[in-house]
Amino acid sequence: MKPRITVLTLGVDDLERSLLFYRDGLGFPTQGIVGTEFEHGAVAFFDLQAGVKLAIWKRKDIAHDARIQQTASSPTEFTIGHNVNSREEVDQVMEQAKNAGASITLPAHDTFWGGYSGYFQDPDGHLWEVVWNPQWEILS
């Protein structure tokens, strides 16, 4: 297996609400919901960078597709990191997420390791960290 991820799929409870959050609130480019002609196929894909896609798909449909039982979700299973190039950009993204309907779980703050970050949850509870690391240069 090569060390790469091409699609990160988030399980959601309300596909339309999540589409509005990511497309209209955060400005992620998408063709909208596709696959509605299939019983468990409705999904939306968002283009990220370098060929990576973010997908949103109903939790019940993921469980059906993977042949597993749907269980309770936990926001501490993983975080999604969004690194930026400045403290100001952290503040801007956090404000954008808040205006889009995110719950701010930890406002932007100085970190113990010399960076600056904050956390928010999307409408389905997925935990995002917006972070500036002075040791990393982020290419646009």
Side-chain angles (χ1 to χ4, degrees):
M1 183 171 178
K2 296 187 180 188
R4 73 169 165 253
I5 295 175
T6 51
V7 178
L8 175 63
T9 302
L10 301 178
V12 302
D13 293 320
D14 184 331
L15 193 59
E16 290 78 15
R17 177 186 68 187
S18 292
L19 175 67
L20 292 173
F21 177 79
Y22 285 104
R23 182 192 63 201
D24 301 345
L26 297 185
F28 288 11
T30 181
Q31 297 297 315
I33 297 171
V34 298
T36 57
E37 67 273 23
F38 304 109
E39 182 180 356
H40 298 281
V43 63
F45 296 97
F46 302 89
D47 295 319
L48 303 179
Q49 80 288 346
V52 177
K53 293 190 182 293
L54 175 72
I56 53 174
W57 197 12
K58 290 183 181 177
R59 287 184 172 119
K60 67 180 181 74
D61 293 334
I62 293 172
H64 174 83
D65 193 57
R67 304 296 190 268
I68 60 173
Q69 187 164 341
Q70 184 176 342
T71 61
S73 62
S74 169
T76 59
E77 298 297 326
F78 67 93
T79 65
I80 303 168
H82 181 73
N83 286 70
V84 297
N85 283 313
S86 69
R87 297 167 61 94
E88 296 77 23
E89 198 173 350
V90 170
D91 291 335
Q92 291 168 357
V93 172
M94 292 292 290
E95 184 67 22
Q96 182 181 14
K98 180 181 175 184
N99 291 340
S103 297
I104 305 300
T105 62
L106 182 62
H109 64 285
D110 292 317
T111 65
F112 68 90
W113 47 267
Y116 186 72
S117 74
Y119 284 93
F120 70 84
Q121 286 181 285
D122 74 5
D124 287 279
H126 300 107
L127 190 60
W128 286 75
E129 181 185 21
V130 182
V131 61
W132 169 68
N133 181 335
Q135 303 302 315
W136 291 5
E137 179 182 350
I138 306 303
L139 303 176
S140 300

